[in-house]
């Protein structure tokens, strides 16, 4: 993720950080998702979803969905497929066709969402480590009730595989902590930094 | 000789047309069962020695009924019937669960005349009271008139599942999934209930066969029995398509002059890895 110019450590923002450090109203929730560089003949960027699950597996928050947004070069005619199915498969959906491939996410929450989802969905991302910063009470991160949760991250890649990682955590955190999980195929390292 | 062989082959082919051969199993094979709204599925339909093997006959599509999530009926696209299988496409334009069913019902009579077995109606023809009166002698020996009611179904869900299309009709043998029929996962026990005329069907034998019979050395059918509430549970071991079938024979025919009734329900479901 490219840092926004507003978040650059100017003296002013440093001062603000110092100012708020003592009060810390909003707990921080920082996720690091590594998409491994894969040496394959035909590489497509993976679809990735991140969400928070309660102990009963219901979804407490949808944090991110990266998928293939509407193709810029999709012909207009293809957006309304004829009944005969003449339109090329996939052209009309702007990539939503493959969202069910993130099976757990689709089952738990994706199939009830409308895409694009404001503040949650965005384009697919390149290999590398992507940081996502959230603070409690600020959309899309809700004011979580105290309890046990799991951070869930699922990736699915065209002509590739699927992988689901989870990091259990307690909310609110008693102290700052870094939690980790390691993927083996479609995901690399997953980290979660929680600050009370 | 050649001609004889040809004639023989033709005779065999005719003899083996659908509705025949109870030794063969009817099946539907959906390309996917979990999709987003607007996607297409393609479905193959056939009868064969074991489910999903294309080695016998195409399924006739005359009695294909596709029910959309709102309960309305949908027409298949690109329907075709080949030698070994029929196929058709369905676009899932509504959010919810679609039911794809081949529904057969009819009455048939069997009897004996001078030691020879007879039957009515002829294959491919419908039963009529007039035809029955004309063809079947009033004093036919060993006359058995059977009403049959069979459903072969599969399901696909676009977006969030619903159960409008799955509501039991209260007629014959029907399967009620006790979770979404398209939310079946390895490692999660799935529960189902069989109803007979809308009431729990206890002690019904259920046969379950996983896809891939050709690539294992035995069919490995799982045989279960419904409990007193008509329920049974399956703990899926491997992902894939599963064929589940049950039938009940009783004396509850509703169409005269049928006395016996045979009602069967076969469902094809997809089990995913979690």
């Amino acid at each position: 993720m490219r840092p926004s110019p507003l978040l650059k450590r100017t003296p002013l923002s440093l001062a603000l950080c110092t100012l708020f450090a003592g009060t810390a109203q909003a707990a921080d929730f920082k996720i690091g998702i590594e998409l491994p560089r894969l040496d394959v003949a035909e590489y497509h960027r993976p679809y990735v979803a991140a969400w928070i699950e309660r102990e009963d597996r219901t979804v407490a928050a949808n944090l991110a969905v990266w998928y293939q947004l509407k193709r810029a070069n999709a012909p207009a005619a293809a957006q309304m497929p004829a009944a005969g199915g003449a339109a090329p498969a996939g052209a009309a959906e702007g990539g939503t066709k493959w969202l069910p491939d993130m099976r757990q996410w689709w089952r738990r929450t994706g199939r009830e969402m409308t895409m694009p989802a404001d503040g949650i969905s965005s384009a697919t991302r390149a290999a590398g480590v992507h940081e996502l910063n959230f603070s409690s009470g600020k959309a899309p991160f809700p004011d979580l009730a105290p309890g046990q949760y799991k951070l869930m991250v699922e990736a699915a890649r065209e002509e590739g595989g699927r992988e689901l990682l989870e990091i259990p955590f307690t909310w609110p955190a008693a102290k700052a902590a870094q939690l980790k999980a390691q993927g083996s195929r479609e995901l690399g390292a997953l980290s979660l930094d929680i600050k009370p | 000789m050649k001609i004889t062989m040809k004639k023989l082959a033709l005779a065999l082919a005719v003899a083996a047309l659908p509705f025949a051969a109870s030794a063969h199993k009817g099946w539907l094979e959906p390309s996917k069962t979990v999709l987003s709204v607007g996607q297409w599925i393609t479905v193959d339909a056939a009868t064969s020695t074991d489910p999903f093997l294309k080695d016998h006959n195409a399924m006739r599509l005359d009695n294909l009924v596709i029910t959309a999530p709102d309960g309305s009926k949908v027409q298949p696209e690109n329907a075709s019937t080949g030698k070994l299988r029929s196929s058709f496409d369905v676009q899932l334009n509504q959010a919810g669960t679609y039911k794809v069913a081949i529904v057969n019902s009819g009455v048939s009579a069997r009897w004996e005349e001078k030691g020879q077995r007879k039957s009515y109606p002829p294959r491919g023809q419908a039963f009529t009271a007039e035809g029955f009166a004309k063809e079947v002698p009033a004093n036919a020996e060993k006359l058995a008139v059977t009403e049959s009611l069979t459903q072969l179904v599969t399901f696909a869900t676009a977006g969030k599942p619903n159960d409008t299309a799955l509501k039991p009709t209260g007629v014959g043998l029907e399967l009620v999934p006790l979770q979404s029929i398209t939310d079946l996962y390895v490692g999660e026990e799935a529960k189902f209930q069989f109803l007979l005329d809308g009431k729990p069907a206890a002690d019904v034998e259920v046969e379950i066969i996983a896809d891939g019979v050709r690539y294992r050395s035995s069919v490995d059918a799982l045989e279960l029995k419904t409990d007193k509430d008509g329920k049974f549970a399956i703990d899926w071991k491997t992902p894939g398509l599963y064929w589940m079938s049950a039938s009940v024979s009783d004396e509850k025919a509703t169409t005269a002059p049928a006395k016996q009734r045979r009602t069967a329900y076969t469902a094809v479901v997809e089990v995913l890895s979690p």
Side-chain angles (χ1 to χ4, degrees):
Chain A
M1 197 159 100
R2 188 175 296 138
S4 150
L6 285 173
L7 292 178
K8 275 186 182 156
R9 295 210 164 214
T10 60
L12 176 64
S13 67
L14 267 180
L16 285 171
C17 285
T18 316
L19 188 65
F20 284 114
T23 57
Q25 289 297 314
D28 285 338
F29 194 91
K30 187 170 88 179
I31 307 172
I33 300 174
E34 185 188 15
L35 302 182
R37 207 165 293 281
L38 297 167
D39 187 19
V40 291
E42 190 175 337
Y43 179 76
H44 299 269
R45 292 177 176 184
Y47 279 26
V48 176
W51 72 103
I52 296 173
E53 240 176 45
R54 299 186 188 92
E55 281 189 301
D56 64 1
R57 308 209 67 174
T58 58
V59 173
N62 262 301
L63 300 180
V65 182
W66 304 340
Y67 74 107
Q68 168 82 54
L69 301 174
K70 191 166 287 206
R71 282 169 213 174
N73 60 353
Q79 312 220 346
M80 287 175 288
E93 306 86 357
T96 56
K97 177 175 181 176
W98 305 109
L99 287 173
D101 282 3
M102 293 187 283
R103 264 181 216 159
Q104 282 302 313
W105 170 79
W106 184 254
R107 177 187 189 187
R108 303 295 176 194
T109 182
R111 65 194 186 187
E112 293 171 39
M113 295 169 70
T114 306
M115 289 290 149
D118 198 27
I120 298 171
S121 63
S122 59
T124 54
R125 301 190 181 195
V129 177
H130 302 275
E131 281 194 359
L132 303 175
N133 289 287
F134 303 95
S135 46
S136 66
K138 198 172 161 217
F141 199 98
D143 273 319
L144 290 178
Q148 297 296 314
Y149 296 90
K150 278 178 184 169
L151 167 67
M152 311 292 290
V153 175
E154 186 169 25
R157 185 168 53 87
E158 189 178 344
E159 294 189 39
R162 184 173 69 92
E163 186 157 23
L164 177 68
L165 291 180
E166 53 182 62
I167 299 182
F169 66 91
T170 304
W171 190 266
K175 57 180 182 2
Q178 184 174 61
L179 307 166
K180 288 182 172 178
Q182 180 62 46
S184 59
R185 300 181 307 273
E186 301 300 330
L187 288 166
L190 175 67
S191 65
L192 170 61
D193 285 277
I194 315 186
K195 277 182 201 155
Chain B
M1 181 62 188
K2 255 185 189 170
I3 290 166
T4 318
M5 285 301 285
K6 248 187 194 170
K7 271 188 178 164
L8 180 65
L10 187 66
L12 285 173
V14 170
L17 276 175
F19 296 141
S22 56
H24 288 100
K25 299 179 175 76
W27 49 267
L28 293 167
E29 185 184 34
S31 53
K32 281 188 179 182
T33 65
V34 178
L35 304 98
S36 54
V37 176
Q39 298 306 308
W40 290 85
I41 56 166
T42 190
V43 182
D44 281 356
T47 58
S48 53
T49 48
D50 282 306
F52 316 119
L53 290 178
K54 291 165 188 132
D55 68 356
H56 184 58
N57 266 322
M59 175 78 66
R60 287 179 169 198
L61 300 180
D62 309 68
N63 299 322
L64 173 63
V65 181
I66 304 168
T67 309
D70 66 357
S72 65
K73 299 291 182 265
V74 178
Q75 289 305 308
E77 304 276 353
N78 307 318
S80 72
T81 297
K83 281 278 178 211
L84 299 178
R85 59 104 179 75
S86 292
S87 72
F88 53 92
D89 301 336
V90 185
Q91 189 173 24
L92 312 183
N93 283 318
Q94 287 180 27
T97 303
Y98 285 73
K99 178 181 176 184
V100 175
I102 304 271
V103 183
N104 285 311
S105 62
V107 176
S108 63
R110 284 173 196 282
W111 70 98
E112 282 186 13
E113 248 175 71
K114 294 168 193 158
Q116 280 209 316
R117 302 185 75 177
K118 298 275 190 179
S119 69
Y120 170 83
R123 233 162 240 144
Q125 285 184 29
F127 178 93
T128 61
E130 298 77 50
F132 178 82
K134 196 173 145 213
E135 299 293 329
V136 184
N139 59 348
E141 285 174 57
K142 298 186 183 172
L143 176 66
V145 188
T146 307
E147 178 183 58
S148 79
L149 183 57
T150 66
Q151 276 199 72
L152 167 62
V153 301
T154 192
F155 308 90
T157 298
K160 193 181 177 186
N162 75 337
D163 62 2
T164 304
L166 282 71
K167 291 259 188 297
T169 62
V171 180
L173 192 61
E174 295 176 284
L175 184 72
V176 178
L178 302 178
Q179 62 283 304
S180 164
I181 192 74
T182 52
D183 273 346
L184 306 176
Y185 291 85
V186 170
E188 286 182 26
E189 192 181 67
K191 292 193 171 91
F192 302 89
Q193 184 183 35
F194 265 114
L195 299 180
L196 184 60
D197 299 331
K199 296 186 191 75
D203 295 323
V204 173
E205 282 177 16
V206 188
E207 187 181 20
I208 298 146
I209 301 177
D211 189 11
V213 172
R214 181 166 160 78
Y215 307 110
R216 43 181 196 264
S217 48
S218 59
V219 175
D220 296 341
L222 179 64
E223 278 165 22
L224 301 174
K225 209 168 210 186
T226 60
D227 66 13
K228 62 179 172 46
D229 300 315
K231 292 180 182 171
F232 65 100
I234 307 174
D235 190 8
W236 313 103
K237 301 294 181 205
T238 53
L241 291 175
Y242 284 80
W243 181 93
M244 308 196 286
S245 188
S247 71
V248 170
S249 292
D250 59 23
E251 309 279 310
K252 292 184 180 168
T254 54
T255 315
K259 292 267 188 329
Q260 287 88 0
R261 174 176 75 160
R262 180 181 177 275
T263 173
Y265 191 103
T266 304
V268 172
V269 298
E270 188 184 32
V271 175
L272 299 172
S273 51

